Amino acid sequence: MGLLYLARGEPLLAAQCFQKASVVFCRQPLIWLRLAECCMMALQNGLLDKSEIRVNVVGKGKYRKLMIEENGLVELDGSTQCGKLSLPLARACLSNGIYLLNESLLNESKSDRESTLSVGMNETKEASSADHGEANTNSDLKEAKGGLNQDIIQSSLSAFKGIQSREKLLIKQALLANMAYVELELENPIKALAAANSLLQLPDCSKIYVFLGHLYAAEALCLLNRPVEAGAHLSAYLVGPDDFKLPYEQEDFDQWRMNTSSDCEETLDSSTGNARDSVFLKPEEARGALFADLAALLATQGHHDQAKAMITHALTLIPNNVQATVTAVYIDMMLGRSQDALTRLKQCTRVSFVPGRLEVRAS
């Protein structure tokens, strides 16, 4: 039920369901990942952003006035454990998930070593008993039959362990990518960089998460005033002085979505502001994000003309991206194009005008 609410873009209801489920599944890393996703979706939907302002227009003519409302945080009904959805809560949930997953992997490794040791001891015993003589015909048949059943069971267990390993790898990639994102939002670039580097060091990491690792690492390094290292992460996708290759193909994107556990995400409309839009970037949109980041990097180094060309490319691929638009505004201002900057600024304002429903009483 929580997963369905999350897919429908209702993070508060989803979080209530996940919180109730956590009583049983508190040792499962996935439940903490889902709670963190609820926090990030609430952020993207504006539920955590106190700076968003709603303006009611009341009155007519010279008596027309603006009545301002501020949106605050929304509490979870009946919540005693989580309180309010927030980015610090998301970070705590992701930390729990990473700890539990690492603990599970460590126990799994110990179990595999003990199993290998046990098999070796059994083989030694069988070889020793074989030296003392041959068993009768009925005993041989029983051993052969038992050995066949054992092979089938072992094969099934190996296949199951393989599926579990792939699932755990996907969960770890998601946990680290989301941690890097949350730390960036909380303005902790050092921790964001650590999470992004950990993501990039994972074996068999998917191309989509490798892209996110490079992107988040570059953004963290920019905040740390290390532009050369940030450029190195972005240059991994450069095919020329001013062009990027696709970070991943549509086939990789489709395969990744098929492997994720949220099978109902296709029901979401991309215009609703899904909290995981950064993860669900299509290949061309991901390329646009690279152009936007390189434009920001060039702008901070004072190369405004080059940055202008890059941000123009970016906006053709991701025209509704607020961060890219803000970067374009900054570049236009630095180039003296104040009117262009003002036009763009109106596209990403956080003020929404709603029909007046408030009554103004005379004082």
Side-chain angles (χ1 to χ4, degrees):
M1 182 64 73
L3 189 58
L4 287 172
Y5 279 127
L6 193 63
R8 288 176 55 183
E10 300 181 32
L12 300 177
L13 293 174
Q16 291 177 36
C17 293
F18 290 136
Q19 185 186 353
K20 291 177 182 178
S22 68
V23 175
V24 177
F25 298 114
C26 61
R27 300 290 301 176
Q28 298 296 324
L30 190 58
I31 197 74
W32 297 105
L33 172 62
R34 296 306 183 207
L35 277 168
E37 288 176 336
C38 290
C39 296
M40 290 185 289
M41 182 177 285
L43 173 70
Q44 292 292 327
N45 290 352
L47 298 176
L48 305 187
D49 192 348
K50 292 184 177 181
S51 65
E52 186 167 342
I53 299 171
R54 289 169 58 88
V55 178
N56 292 273
V57 183
V58 296
K60 295 181 180 180
K62 65 180 182 178
Y63 300 105
R64 188 167 176 264
K65 296 181 180 294
L66 301 180
M67 305 296 291
I68 298 175
E69 298 178 80
E70 290 190 14
N71 291 340
L73 302 181
V74 181
E75 291 189 16
L76 298 176
D77 294 336
S79 171
T80 57
Q81 181 180 355
C82 288
K84 297 179 181 180
L85 293 182
S86 65
L87 287 178
L89 175 62
R91 178 168 55 190
C93 290
L94 292 170
S95 296
N96 285 347
I98 292 171
Y99 172 80
L100 290 170
L101 188 60
N102 288 338
E103 185 181 49
S104 173
L105 292 171
L106 182 61
N107 292 336
E108 186 179 281
S109 178
K110 288 180 180 178
S111 177
D112 287 343
R113 286 198 299 269
E114 290 172 0
S115 177
T116 302
L117 181 61
S118 176
V119 169
M121 292 176 65
N122 288 336
E123 288 177 351
T124 303
K125 288 178 181 179
E126 289 174 2
S128 177
S129 62
D131 291 339
H132 289 83
E134 296 182 357
N136 59 37
T137 306
N138 289 335
S139 178
D140 289 342
L141 289 173
K142 287 179 180 178
E143 286 179 4
K145 191 174 182 180
L148 181 61
N149 290 337
Q150 189 69 23
D151 289 342
I152 293 173
I153 293 172
Q154 193 63 38
S155 176
S156 299
L157 286 173
S158 297
F160 177 69
K161 285 183 178 179
I163 293 171
Q164 275 193 322
S165 296
R166 288 193 294 273
E167 288 178 349
K168 287 179 180 178
L169 176 62
L170 284 172
I171 293 172
K172 190 161 190 177
Q173 291 175 40
L175 285 167
L176 290 172
N178 286 334
M179 180 64 85
Y181 170 78
V182 168
E183 293 293 0
L184 283 171
E185 288 290 334
L186 290 172
E187 299 181 1
N188 294 320
I190 294 177
K191 292 182 179 179
L193 181 60
N197 285 335
S198 296
L199 177 62
L200 291 171
Q201 291 167 8
L202 288 179
D204 301 322
C205 192
S206 73
K207 290 183 179 179
I208 292 180
Y209 279 118
V210 168
F211 160 73
L212 289 174
H214 283 301
L215 204 65
Y216 293 153
E219 292 177 3
L221 287 164
C222 281
L223 292 173
L224 292 170
N225 197 26
R226 293 156 62 181
V228 176
E229 294 173 70
H233 280 279
L234 298 178
S235 64
Y237 299 102
L238 278 174
V239 292
D242 56 356
D243 196 13
F244 287 100
K245 66 181 179 181
L246 290 176
Y248 44 86
E249 302 293 336
Q250 186 64 37
E251 181 182 353
D252 300 314
F253 180 76
D254 294 338
Q255 182 67 27
W256 180 85
R257 294 198 67 176
M258 186 173 64
N259 288 335
T260 55
S261 54
S262 296
D263 297 327
C264 46
E265 281 158 358
E266 289 186 5
T267 60
L268 286 172
D269 181 358
S270 60
S271 64
T272 60
N274 183 3
R276 294 155 68 194
D277 280 344
S278 57
V279 177
F280 284 119
L281 288 176
K282 294 180 180 179
E284 282 294 338
E285 295 172 331
R287 186 165 169 260
L290 289 170
F291 276 117
D293 271 23
L294 185 57
L297 181 60
L298 290 169
T300 59
Q301 293 177 313
H303 306 303
H304 300 121
D305 290 326
Q306 290 177 272
K308 177 65 176 177
M310 290 293 170
I311 201 61
T312 301
H313 280 303
L315 289 173
T316 59
L317 297 170
I318 45 174
N320 298 321
N321 186 281
V322 175
Q323 287 76 16
T325 304
V326 170
T327 302
V329 169
Y330 173 79
I331 294 169
D332 282 335
M333 290 175 65
M334 297 306 294
L335 291 173
R337 300 182 173 186
S338 56
Q339 190 58 46
D340 291 343
L342 184 60
T343 302
R344 292 187 194 278
L345 197 57
K346 291 179 180 178
Q347 298 173 8
C348 57
T349 178
R350 300 197 67 82
V351 177
S352 56
F353 290 87
V354 297
R357 298 187 183 91
L358 302 179
E359 295 182 2
V360 181
R361 296 180 182 180
S363 57

